[in-house]
Amino acid sequence: MKLRNFAWAVLALPMAYSCTQSGNKQTDDHASKAVIDTVKQCYTSVFEGDSATMNVNIIDSTKVEGKLMIHYKEKPHNDGLVRGEFKGDTLFVDYTFKTGENPTEFSNPLVFLKQGGNLKMGVGVIETTMGRSYFAKDKPINFERGKFEFVPAECK
């Protein structure tokens, strides 16, 4: 009798394995859904002779990835990548960029307040711990003093 139970157990293993494999299809469906929920948005801003363009992909209405180029009137321009997420109506990103012809990469946190379709850059106290910079949690961010206010633009 024990041999018969063992045989059934061996026969049931492939069926149990195939049942667990159907779960991967649901994961693949979820991954393809993320691609469907991606929106490309482009912005421009001008402030006292300086200008900036930001082209981002907004994924699932919260995660953001894209490019930010800042052209200063009297300084070398910055060109780099932004990556972050919305927390309510506030967009927090890390901006990894190069300045002018300098091959060194820099990284700074940036913050934007969404007002209507615009993104207004904020200014706040930045702290650095273990080589990573971030906005101080106990200090307010001032969106009135921000240099750039980005308005929606046509993506090129």
Side-chain angles (χ1 to χ4, degrees):
M1 190 70 166
K2 289 183 180 182
L3 186 58
R4 179 185 248 185
N5 290 340
F6 178 75
W8 280 110
V10 170
L11 289 173
L13 279 175
M15 187 182 319
Y17 178 77
S18 68
C19 289
T20 62
Q21 295 305 302
S22 66
N24 290 343
K25 174 140 177 47
Q26 292 172 347
T27 303
D28 292 342
D29 289 345
H30 181 69
S32 65
K33 180 182 181 296
V35 173
I36 293 170
D37 292 342
T38 300
V39 175
K40 183 172 179 123
Q41 183 64 57
C42 301
Y43 298 92
T44 63
S45 182
V46 177
F47 181 83
E48 296 180 357
D50 298 339
S51 64
T53 58
M54 183 164 50
N55 303 328
V56 294
N57 291 318
I58 303 170
I59 304 160
D60 285 337
S61 72
T62 59
K63 296 191 186 323
V64 174
E65 296 178 351
K67 289 192 67 146
L68 173 60
M69 293 140 293
I70 302 174
H71 297 276
Y72 295 106
K73 182 179 177 183
E74 298 181 13
K75 293 192 282 186
H77 68 278
N78 293 348
D79 188 2
L81 302 174
V82 291
R83 178 171 286 147
E85 68 180 307
F86 277 99
K87 293 181 181 175
D89 60 356
T90 307
L91 173 60
F92 292 90
V93 297
D94 287 319
Y95 180 39
T96 304
F97 62 97
K98 293 182 180 180
T99 299
E101 300 298 319
N102 186 345
T104 304
E105 273 194 341
F106 301 94
S107 184
N108 282 334
L110 298 177
V111 63
F112 302 90
L113 180 63
K114 187 168 188 169
Q115 296 177 318
N118 297 354
L119 292 175
K120 187 162 188 156
M121 183 183 279
V123 176
V125 176
I126 295 176
E127 296 178 344
T128 303
T129 303
M130 297 177 59
R132 177 143 167 80
S133 297
Y134 54 90
F135 286 98
K137 296 196 184 312
D138 59 341
K139 306 285 184 196
I141 296 171
N142 186 331
F143 292 98
E144 297 304 315
R145 290 185 45 219
K147 186 172 189 171
F148 291 110
E149 181 166 353
F150 289 85
V151 297
E154 185 177 325
C155 294
K156 298 178 184 176

